[in-house]
Amino acid sequence: STSTVPSPAAASIDSSPRPRPTKNVQACNGHVEFCDRRFSNISMVVAHNSPFVVPHNIASNQDVHVLTQLNDGIRGLQFETRLPDQAPTSSALRLCHTSCSVLDAGTLEKYLKKVAGWLSTHPYEVIAIMMGNGNHVEPTMYIEPFRRAGLLPLLYIPPYRTMTLEQWPKLSEMILQSKRVVVTLDYGANQTAVPWLLNEFSYQWQTPFSPTDPTFPCTVDRPKNQIATVSKDMMYMANHNLNVKVPIKASFLALAKEEPYLIPGHTLFHQVNASKGNRSLGWSVETCTARWGRPPNWLLVDYYNRGDFNGSVFQVAAIANNVTYNRTSCCGVEKENSTGQRM
């Protein structure tokens, strides 16, 4: 008998179904384009003193609480932690502005539980939590509030004690690994004792802190004396929250000494938080981009929901990120219950 040998041409024909290339349609932090970008290659809006939402308190920095902030598009939460003035050695960390006698927004744990709840229902979002260590407490004091809030499994632990732009992971990687929260501390971090509590200025730098200069110079303020070649290859924050000095005596503020107190420039938000115009956030980002060759990673603002239109700060971030912004998506308005408390 004879056998039939297929010709080379026939043998090369494969009629089995071939997998079709897939295209990602799931947004990361609101945009499909962000999924393939590194955490260090995105500009995000930061709510300065996010928890400090107390009506009629001059130390407040926001109009709405953290859940509304996150729903509107805030992806950086910044605030100061302190121990209460009355019992500093036996109490839990609280969210206080300069002193708990000035503004006390409750415990860190309670605030973090709200953030954890939001993250559980928004699995494709990556955020940063940036804390000020007002009393310079031991970093281990932060473990319990984060653990009790249920956030520990979500916290990102970097492979290095300082990281360049190219060493940060992509948003999609952080989401797939469920390490979606980057936590930093301004002073007192010890990454040997608490690996997820990052020394803020080892990973990013900032323009002048608590600015009172309306020109918002895009220079390195913290950490001090950092050389330009290092700054160019690190993430950075533009502090764009204009403050005015109010000479209030220390006895009123329960502070240690008399000094001018800084409060937000309430009458200037339409200009400071604007998308364009002199001294606006848009102008500031353009200035920083021209100086450093890339926009800021973090745009820190007061009263983010005020500007030349609703969501103008997010419009600025969208332009910096080269994506589109839906102006109808901002901003949430909170209601008051029968006792006058915001919900």
Side-chain angles (χ1 to χ4, degrees):
S1 63
T2 60
S3 60
T4 302
V5 178
S7 67
S12 65
I13 298 175
D14 182 1
S15 60
S16 61
R18 298 174 182 270
R20 295 182 179 181
T22 58
K23 183 178 180 180
N24 176 45
V25 295
Q26 174 59 56
C28 302
N29 278 31
H31 296 277
V32 172
E33 300 94 322
F34 287 176
C35 295
D36 201 39
R37 291 193 197 177
R38 297 185 185 278
F39 182 74
S40 55
N41 189 28
I42 301 173
S43 295
M44 305 185 199
V45 182
V46 182
H48 176 229
N49 285 336
S50 162
F52 299 162
V53 187
V54 180
H56 314 300
N57 187 303
I58 63 170
S60 290
N61 296 90
Q62 302 297 335
D63 277 323
V64 294
H65 291 83
V66 64
L67 295 182
T68 304
Q69 294 171 16
L70 292 167
N71 286 334
D72 282 342
I74 292 293
R75 291 298 175 267
L77 305 172
Q78 187 272 349
F79 50 83
E80 181 181 6
T81 63
R82 282 190 173 271
L83 295 171
D85 306 318
Q86 296 80 8
T89 60
S90 60
S91 300
L93 285 170
R94 302 187 70 83
L95 305 170
C96 297
H97 194 304
T98 307
S99 163
C100 291
S101 298
V102 176
L103 187 152
D104 186 340
T107 66
L108 173 61
E109 179 184 328
K110 183 178 179 180
Y111 173 87
L112 293 177
K113 283 182 177 178
K114 295 179 180 179
V115 176
W118 186 88
L119 287 167
S120 68
T121 58
H122 296 78
Y124 299 100
E125 302 297 320
V126 179
I127 70 169
I129 298 175
M130 307 171 185
M131 299 184 295
N133 187 358
N135 296 109
H136 288 213
V137 301
E138 290 297 317
T140 51
M141 284 197 67
Y142 290 90
I143 296 176
E144 276 303 291
F146 277 84
R147 185 187 68 80
R148 290 178 180 273
L151 279 174
L152 288 184
L154 294 178
L155 304 185
Y156 174 74
I157 299 176
Y160 309 108
R161 295 300 173 89
T162 184
M163 288 168 68
T164 63
L165 298 173
E166 291 300 314
Q167 290 175 321
W168 284 93
K170 297 178 180 179
L171 253 62
S172 57
E173 296 170 339
M174 300 175 76
I175 290 168
L176 289 172
Q177 296 168 11
S178 195
K179 299 297 180 182
R180 301 185 285 124
V181 183
V182 177
V183 184
T184 65
L185 191 67
D186 62 351
Y187 299 109
N190 180 338
Q191 290 176 233
T192 300
V194 190
W196 50 263
L197 189 57
L198 312 187
N199 178 11
E200 180 174 353
F201 304 119
S202 293
Y203 296 91
Q204 67 180 40
W205 55 269
Q206 293 185 10
T207 62
F209 181 68
S210 293
T212 56
D213 182 353
T215 65
F216 295 105
C218 200
T219 54
V220 181
D221 181 57
R222 297 191 297 176
K224 299 293 184 183
N225 303 317
Q226 181 167 277
I227 60 175
T229 53
V230 173
S231 300
K232 286 183 177 180
D233 205 22
M234 291 180 69
M235 293 195 296
Y236 73 103
M237 174 185 286
N239 285 310
H240 196 82
N241 56 307
L242 187 62
N243 297 275
V244 295
K245 294 180 180 180
V246 178
I248 301 177
K249 290 186 176 182
S251 58
F252 175 81
L253 292 173
L255 299 177
K257 59 182 180 179
E258 295 189 8
E259 58 184 15
Y261 188 73
L262 298 180
I263 64 171
H266 289 267
T267 62
L268 303 173
F269 290 126
H270 67 285
Q271 177 184 2
V272 173
N273 286 351
S275 59
K276 58 184 178 181
N278 192 34
R279 313 311 188 205
S280 68
L281 180 63
W283 171 87
S284 187
V285 170
E286 290 178 359
T287 301
C288 287
T289 302
R291 177 169 186 141
W292 296 100
R294 55 190 174 87
N297 300 90
W298 309 106
L299 314 179
L300 184 137
V301 297
D302 284 326
Y303 294 93
Y304 75 89
N305 54 322
R306 307 187 199 179
D308 54 340
F309 60 86
N310 286 345
S312 57
V313 296
F314 299 111
Q315 176 70 63
V316 173
I319 293 172
N321 289 319
N322 195 28
V323 297
T324 58
Y325 173 66
N326 178 7
R327 289 195 181 190
T328 65
S329 63
C330 190
C331 295
V333 178
E334 296 178 340
K335 298 179 180 180
E336 292 186 353
N337 60 23
S338 58
T339 64
Q341 296 178 326
R342 293 191 183 189
M343 303 175 66

